[in-house]
Amino acid sequence: MQKLGDFKLPHFFNYPPYFTLQPVRDTREKQVQLWKDLILDYCRTQKIFVIGLEEDFALFSNPVIERSLSHEAREAFLSALVSEGRAEWLDKGHRKCLILWHRVQDWADIIFRFVKDNGLEDSVMTVEEIRSGIESRGTELHGIDRTILMRALRVLEQKGKLAIFKGTSADDEGVKFSM
Amino acid sequence: MRRRPGIGGLQTAAAARDQYRLVGENVAKIRTDMMKEQLATFRTQLEEFARKHKNDIRKNPAFRSQFHEMCAKVGVDPLASNKGFWAELLGIGDFYYELGVQIVEICLATRPHNGGLINLQELCILLRQRKSDREAVSEDDCLRAISKLKVLGSGFEVISVGKKKLVRSVPTELNKDHNEILELAQAQGFVTVEEVERRLSWTSGRAIDALDTLLDEGLAMIDDGHRDRKRRYWFPCVSSNSTPVADT
């Protein structure tokens, strides 16, 4: 089986027609489903949070069979993820896409468990510490995209589990947990 | 018997005919009786054989196939009834029943990809992946299981295209034009419009019509990505996509 680094690629990735948007509805649906699952899987294992449509994203082309996804195809598959709530366009031109291989609510749950596991129920941390501090090492939170992290924190804030406040400098937001 | 003229002669001839007929019927009856006896003996011996070689029949596809042929010659169908002597003795009914169920499952699962036509070889490969290795599955086994499915009216059929056998699990009827395209596609897994026109000596219209139908039925997929810019029509049912496809 072909691999991309450690990642095992599914069979369809080596079948040329899957790189062309199919005109027949049922065939297209199957195609879109396969690509959606692949994109989510890959992003999750490689911890990729943003895909740039015009950039060299590994899944967009397969040099072994000399095929690449057209811009239209890329947009079609990512739009399908957006419709399902598993992704979001970061710009109106649909050039950058935020991938939610964990939904925002899932991230909120992960943060909640993280706080409990580390006994941080009543402490204060900066946003940056949450995603790159010592406690985050080895957890899914390590290296999380800031936009997604802020969304998840706001979900928890709405539930009264924490409070977000601005720090002393512009990019140094802080969080006071009260779980 | 000498023929005698007159009414007497006619009566003698009639009597002679009757005699012959009686003898004839007798002979026929004796022959039939003999045959019945032979068959009965044959069947008993077959049952003995089946009992003795039960394990071999279950485990060895080649042996199993020959066993079926022997049964067919004697007019015995071990699969005819799931509750009959044979089924109980050999448990073969279950084997083919299970196989049939798995075949249906695989055909349904792969239908979105291949449109309801699957290569018999590929089907067997997928079946072997599912079964435990205790019981090997041959193409012959698949064909028998499928013929049983047919009897149930489930719309399954095996069709020949060129050198390959394809299992059809949808009501789509393939006409001769479609068949020829599939046969052509077996070489590389795909065809181009130009190739169809050239190799089959068709008009462009005829080629495109047939290809479009196959596309609509979900039996073909288009590929516009080759550097030569020619559209290719790929047929999942003639290529196994377990192996990467190289195409220059």
Side-chain angles (χ1 to χ4, degrees):
Chain A
M1 205 183 256
Q2 202 185 333
K3 286 191 182 185
L4 214 51
D6 262 346
F7 186 79
K8 279 203 189 126
L9 290 163
H11 293 316
F12 86 84
F13 193 74
N14 285 318
Y15 198 56
Y18 279 104
F19 281 79
T20 301
L21 266 185
Q22 294 301 308
V24 174
R25 191 195 60 184
D26 287 350
T27 315
R28 163 87 65 115
E29 274 175 21
K30 167 76 177 181
Q31 177 185 32
V32 170
Q33 188 59 50
L34 287 170
W35 275 102
K36 278 193 322 197
D37 290 344
L38 174 58
I39 291 170
L40 282 180
D41 247 349
Y42 184 73
C43 288
R44 186 173 38 83
T45 57
Q46 311 298 309
K47 285 213 167 184
I48 293 171
F49 295 92
V50 177
I51 295 178
L53 260 74
E54 274 139 34
E55 284 154 32
D56 274 326
F57 183 53
L59 292 183
F60 286 163
S61 55
N62 185 350
V64 173
I65 57 170
E66 292 178 36
R67 295 290 188 277
S68 294
L69 288 176
S70 66
H71 184 95
E72 195 195 346
R74 299 174 191 195
E75 210 187 321
F77 301 148
L78 290 171
S79 294
L81 279 174
V82 172
S83 303
E84 233 180 65
R86 302 310 296 263
E88 281 179 18
W89 291 114
L90 289 173
D91 63 315
K92 281 217 172 71
H94 289 192
R95 277 183 310 237
K96 281 204 189 297
C97 195
L98 187 70
I99 308 297
L100 298 167
W101 36 270
H102 274 322
R103 293 176 195 273
V104 171
Q105 181 56 55
D106 299 331
W107 282 115
D109 293 340
I110 290 169
I111 294 168
F112 187 84
R113 277 199 311 271
F114 169 78
V115 170
K116 292 278 183 192
D117 288 348
N118 289 284
L120 300 162
E121 287 91 335
D122 291 308
S123 55
V124 175
M125 280 177 96
T126 63
V127 168
E128 194 52 38
E129 270 176 324
I130 295 174
R131 63 185 292 273
S132 62
I134 296 182
E135 293 95 345
S136 74
R137 304 243 182 94
T139 72
E140 287 195 286
L141 284 176
H142 192 75
I144 182 180
D145 176 270
R146 257 195 94 102
T147 314
I148 296 180
L149 178 55
M150 289 311 298
R151 295 261 196 91
L153 289 172
R154 275 186 219 118
V155 164
L156 288 168
E157 190 180 41
Q158 292 224 309
K159 293 191 180 156
K161 303 289 182 191
L162 52 85
I164 306 172
F165 58 91
K166 284 232 178 292
T168 46
S169 53
D171 51 23
D172 183 15
E173 280 166 302
V175 180
K176 163 99 176 69
F177 299 110
S178 43
M179 296 179 183
Chain B
M1 239 169 240
R2 233 171 11 100
R3 253 206 284 180
R4 286 158 58 197
I7 294 179
L10 285 171
Q11 282 174 334
T12 313
R17 262 200 308 276
D18 281 343
Q19 289 257 355
Y20 276 129
R21 195 187 51 217
L22 271 174
V23 170
E25 280 173 357
N26 247 357
V27 167
K29 183 168 188 302
I30 290 172
R31 270 217 219 109
T32 312
D33 283 349
M34 259 172 60
M35 266 168 54
K36 280 190 186 158
E37 215 184 285
Q38 271 181 346
L39 271 175
T41 312
F42 222 159
R43 286 202 182 119
T44 316
Q45 289 181 333
L46 200 55
E47 285 167 17
E48 255 311 299
F49 181 87
R51 235 184 295 261
K52 245 167 101 182
H53 299 274
K54 175 171 166 171
N55 274 334
D56 286 322
I57 292 169
R58 293 194 74 133
K59 293 198 180 146
N60 186 329
F63 198 85
R64 188 159 58 229
S65 167
Q66 292 188 327
F67 173 71
H68 274 289
E69 273 183 44
M70 276 195 329
C71 289
K73 287 197 172 114
V74 219
V76 168
D77 184 359
L79 304 181
S81 156
N82 208 25
K83 297 198 179 111
F85 160 81
W86 290 100
E88 276 174 34
L89 174 66
L90 300 169
I92 280 189
D94 282 342
F95 174 81
Y96 287 102
Y97 174 75
E98 272 175 34
L99 198 58
V101 169
Q102 289 180 333
I103 287 172
V104 171
E105 282 174 2
I106 289 173
C107 286
L108 285 178
T110 57
R111 192 179 290 180
H113 170 65
N114 58 33
L117 265 192
I118 183 170
N119 198 323
L120 180 62
Q121 264 180 326
E122 194 183 345
L123 177 61
C124 285
I125 291 172
L126 291 172
L127 276 169
R128 279 177 212 132
Q129 284 173 0
R130 281 181 169 220
K131 276 196 155 294
S132 59
D133 334 57
R134 283 181 302 121
E135 293 168 353
V137 176
S138 67
E139 282 187 13
D140 184 73
D141 289 327
C142 287
L143 290 172
R144 284 184 201 279
I146 291 167
S147 67
K148 288 296 145 193
L149 287 174
K150 270 175 77 171
V151 162
L152 296 172
S154 54
F156 277 69
E157 198 170 21
V158 179
I159 63 177
S160 290
V161 171
K163 293 184 220 120
K164 297 212 176 145
K165 293 204 173 71
L166 305 179
V167 177
R168 198 191 74 189
S169 59
V170 284
T172 313
E173 287 289 337
L174 290 180
N175 65 27
K176 197 159 169 296
D177 277 5
H178 300 146
N179 241 356
E180 289 192 73
I181 290 177
L182 281 178
E183 203 174 330
L184 205 58
Q186 277 177 15
Q188 295 178 284
F190 68 87
V191 295
T192 59
V193 174
E194 183 189 74
E195 201 183 330
V196 171
E197 286 171 18
R198 189 173 27 98
R199 299 276 299 271
L200 302 177
S201 302
W202 287 359
T203 61
S204 170
R206 183 176 173 186
I208 292 176
D209 247 0
L211 287 168
D212 276 348
T213 306
L214 289 166
L215 198 62
D216 284 337
E217 293 292 340
L219 294 170
M221 292 178 75
I222 55 167
D223 165 27
D224 290 333
H226 197 274
R227 71 182 108 86
D228 67 10
R229 320 305 249 127
K230 291 190 196 150
R231 170 170 283 192
R232 281 156 170 71
Y233 290 79
W234 289 81
F235 294 88
C237 61
V238 302
S239 54
S240 165
N241 73 328
S242 325
T243 48
V245 179
D247 159 33
T248 41

